[in-house]
Amino acid sequence: MPIHRHAVFGFPVAHSRSPFIHAMFGEQCGVALRYERIEAEPEVFAEKLEAFRSEGGRGANVTLPLKEWAARLCGELSPAAKLAGAANTLLWREDHWYGDNTDGAGLVRDIETNLRWPLHDRRVLLLGAGGAARGAIPALFDAGIAGLCIANRTPERAQALANDLAAAGPIRVLALDDVSEAGRFDLILNATSAGRGGAPLELPGTLPAPGALCYDLSYGAAAAPFLSWAGKSEAAARSDGLGMLVEQAALAFALWHGQLPHTPPVLAALRKEQAA
Ligand code: NAP
């Protein structure tokens, strides 16, 4: 059986759980693979990706801060990667890299399938306007949300995002400081990196509508402040983004190997590891 070579590129990348996730997928699907972490600063990413390819690598994941760089290195992009201007999954096709962005679809799969929380007709507040927010917006509209409000610390960045993605659906833009005037929402997504340090988010407890879901795209310690706020608010449910991490990985695996892995045992293993 051939051994497929994969890697995740990032800076830093030592924390990445992708090798663990893909090892479990490979075992489950009968695919022999080797999956490593490759640390690459943006200036040397192209060189390291080429070295990986010349040694037989055909499928790679890309994480912060390289997703936009990855999209620029691709000879072909999926519609999701083109809209996001960023790729988190690369597949070598004959003579060029094909880039996809599975973050948005992974988020939607986690919310709708794992959390069993339908997105159709929901009013959504998205906190943050970075790469993760950009990837999430088209997938949220594809899932049939009623409308979207983006609140960002730098409102100009949120406005630029709304302009770029105007074709996806109706988007309202606010400064994060004005979020108390935004009304109530069925789903509140934290796509900021505020939980990783810096000034904490200050959010009014009245943002969630009855029955709302509060979801942080981060996981581990970075998700703790937002989830703690959600616990004190009127939200009915809350979640971190560990399920999104597993779902975006499953979609990458499907692109590389043509099989969509069963994700619940992998998510359960990560949750167990997190609790230990
Ligand atoms: P990014 O492009 O660097 O964007 C960061 C965003 O956070 C910007 O909107 C920034 O606002 C905002 N921000 C940072 N510090 C803040 C603070 N102290 N207060 C308020 N806003 C703050 O990062 P990204 O790629 O979008 O990632 C965002 C988060 O999503 C990260 O925690 C990442 O780990 C997570 N993520 C998870 C997955 C998953 O699979 N679960 C996938 C992708 C990303 P400004 O525009 O004002 O700077």
Side-chain angles (χ1 to χ4, degrees), residues 57-115:
R58 294 292 177 267
N61 287 127
V62 181
T63 187
L64 280 174
L66 303 173
K67 294 181 190 182
E68 285 85 1
W69 295 76
R72 287 197 286 271
L73 288 175
C74 286
E76 188 187 355
L77 291 173
S78 71
K82 207 175 280 178
L83 270 174
N88 73 337
T89 302
L90 303 179
L91 169 69
W92 182 255
R93 282 192 169 157
E94 282 178 33
D95 58 358
H96 65 273
W97 287 106
Y98 170 78
D100 195 2
N101 192 316
T102 62
D103 281 341
L107 171 69
V108 165
R109 279 173 60 86
D110 188 39
I111 293 175
E112 293 207 304
T113 310
N114 298 335
L115 301 176

Side-chain angles (χ1 to χ4, degrees), residues 64 128-132 152-154 157 191-194 196 199 217-218 241 245:
L64 280 174
N152 196 44
R153 181 175 61 181
T154 312
R157 196 171 176 199
T192 74
S193 46
R196 295 178 181 278
L217 275 67
S218 308
L245 177 76

Side-chain angles (χ1 to χ4, degrees), residues 83 134 137-138 141 148 150 158-173:
L83 270 174
R134 189 174 277 271
I137 293 169
F141 278 112
L148 180 71
I150 311 177
Q159 189 58 58
L161 183 56
N163 294 347
D164 287 354
L165 298 179
I171 302 177
R172 190 178 147 207
V173 168

Side-chain angles (χ1 to χ4, degrees), residues 49 125 153 226 238 240:
L49 183 65
L125 173 64
R153 181 175 61 181
F226 177 78
R238 58 197 168 130
D240 67 7

Side-chain angles (χ1 to χ4, degrees), residues 111 117 119 122-126 140 145 185-189 209 212-215:
I111 293 175
W117 202 88
L119 283 160
R122 305 290 194 165
R123 292 161 298 165
V124 182
L125 173 64
L126 179 62
L140 291 167
I145 62 166
F185 297 89
D186 305 311
L187 173 64
I188 300 170
L189 293 167
L213 168 65
C214 292
Y215 186 107

